[in-house]
Amino acid sequence: MKTAWVFPGQGSQTIGMGSDLLDVEAAKARFAQAEAILGWSVPEICQSAEDKLSKTLYTQPCLYVIEAILADLMRDRGLTPDAVAGHSLGEYGALYAAGVFEFESGLRLVKKRSELMEQASGGLMAALIGFDRTQLEEQIAQTPNVVLANDNSDSQVVISGTPEAVEAIMANVKTKKAVKLNVSGAFHSPQMGDAAAEFNQILETIDFRDAQVPVLSNVDPTPATDAAAIKDRLIRQMTGSVRWREISSAFTEMEVGQAIEVGPGKVLTGLLKRACPGMELVNVGSLAEIPS
């Protein structure tokens, strides 16, 4: 049976995540490497009572580090994926797991990404649940400065853009539920263009290797292993849509029978449960949950 490893993004973090890894030698080494790059301690932020973890600046590096450690520990137990994918920030965990870049290189990218996204302002994002897709697509096409940022499933998406444009869509599209997200900017939209240009200067300096297993990227949900193609997709990720609904369909076409969500929460297995009925779903958010 083919197995995909999937890596969640921002929003899946939980206070206390990774606390069970503090006594694991391999994890301790990773936490030390991370502190040298970040200038702060991932375990301290993850345990912080004042919820520093919910700040983009901290959320993204913490998730990447925890997901990378869990992937390492899974490989240590002889587990390997047949394909990988990650949701937004989770794509960095997926690329690390596929051997595309070193742990430190990925963390340097995530550090810069989190700084740029923390500084982003003036945009709005909103989650829409239960809607007519044709009506939504027509309204987005007619409304400047708003895009489909996360196409998560048939019934759940996130739109992103200027506050006026996002509010216009919320007013004109009938939904079961619409919720504005607590984020600083219009992520995964053209409004991130300046940030993306600055980020890409750093991205160009990082060595990418061919992936050991196929990677399904957010902006292009077709399997790829070529280093140059994967890097090109990551360049487009900050301004492009997260096409998770199509990634789910691709898993079905690839005959993936099992998905393991590597990281906290159950967001991606929740989406896959509805999109891929019959798929075996496993969550590995802690040391105890790693299959033996």
Side-chain angles (χ1 to χ4, degrees):
M1 179 168 60
K2 284 189 187 172
T3 297
W5 290 6
V6 296
F7 295 78
Q10 201 162 340
S12 290
Q13 69 276 5
T14 52
I15 292 177
M17 69 179 186
S19 56
D20 59 328
L21 302 171
L22 298 176
D23 298 324
V24 179
E25 286 305 320
K28 281 200 267 195
R30 286 286 188 232
F31 287 135
Q33 282 177 299
E35 190 162 355
I37 290 168
L38 299 168
W40 46 266
S41 160
V42 168
E44 275 178 29
I45 294 295
C46 289
Q47 315 300 326
S48 161
E50 58 264 36
D51 192 17
K52 287 183 181 173
L53 187 58
S54 65
K55 281 186 59 124
T56 294
L57 193 65
Y58 295 120
T59 313
Q60 296 191 9
C62 286
L63 277 172
Y64 171 79
V65 170
I66 300 293
E67 290 176 8
I69 290 170
L70 289 170
D72 285 342
L73 295 172
M74 287 166 69
R75 282 199 181 276
D76 289 348
R77 292 206 185 166
L79 301 169
T80 53
D82 296 294
V84 297
H87 191 285
S88 191
L89 180 274
E91 190 161 307
Y92 290 81
L95 292 176
Y96 169 70
V100 172
F101 45 57
E102 300 291 346
F103 172 78
E104 296 95 328
S105 298
L107 185 54
R108 287 182 205 284
L109 289 174
V110 169
K111 177 177 185 279
K112 185 64 177 177
R113 184 183 193 267
S114 65
E115 289 165 358
L116 289 166
M117 290 174 82
E118 176 79 19
Q119 291 159 12
S121 61
L124 183 63
M125 298 181 78
L128 310 182
I129 296 153
F131 49 84
D132 179 311
R133 187 169 283 267
T134 305
Q135 186 198 18
L136 175 64
E137 287 172 352
E138 283 171 0
Q139 286 294 327
I140 288 175
Q142 290 165 23
T143 311
N145 303 318
V146 64
V147 295
L148 191 62
N150 297 2
D151 187 7
N152 290 329
S153 71
D154 287 336
S155 60
Q156 203 249 329
V157 299
V158 175
I159 57 172
S160 180
T162 61
E164 305 76 32
V166 170
E167 280 163 4
I169 298 291
M170 290 172 80
N172 293 329
V173 175
K174 190 169 174 247
T175 62
K176 279 187 188 163
K177 191 177 176 188
V179 185
K180 291 179 187 177
L181 301 186
N182 180 22
V183 292
S184 54
F187 304 156
H188 295 292
S189 84
Q191 279 197 272
M192 296 300 292
D194 290 347
E198 196 177 329
F199 177 72
N200 291 341
Q201 291 174 353
I202 294 206
L203 187 54
E204 291 297 347
T205 69
I206 301 288
D207 275 337
F208 275 45
R209 296 184 294 256
D210 288 347
Q212 293 161 4
V213 296
V215 177
L216 286 78
S217 299
N218 288 188
V219 299
D220 188 343
T222 55
T225 55
D226 177 70
I230 289 169
K231 185 178 253 192
D232 173 65
R233 291 172 173 193
L234 201 60
I235 285 171
R236 293 183 277 140
Q237 199 224 50
M238 205 182 276
T239 54
S241 297
V242 178
R243 294 161 60 182
W244 193 262
R245 181 174 62 98
E246 292 168 82
I247 288 174
S248 303
S249 299
F251 283 154
T252 302
E253 285 165 24
M254 293 165 71
E255 298 181 348
V256 170
Q258 181 189 57
I260 301 178
E261 184 165 3
V262 185
K266 298 185 176 179
V267 171
L268 300 183
T269 45
L271 293 171
L272 289 168
K273 185 177 184 179
R274 290 186 285 278
C276 308
M279 185 181 279
E280 189 180 308
L281 303 169
V282 179
N283 288 88
V284 176
S286 65
L287 187 61
E289 290 176 324
I290 297 176
S292 52

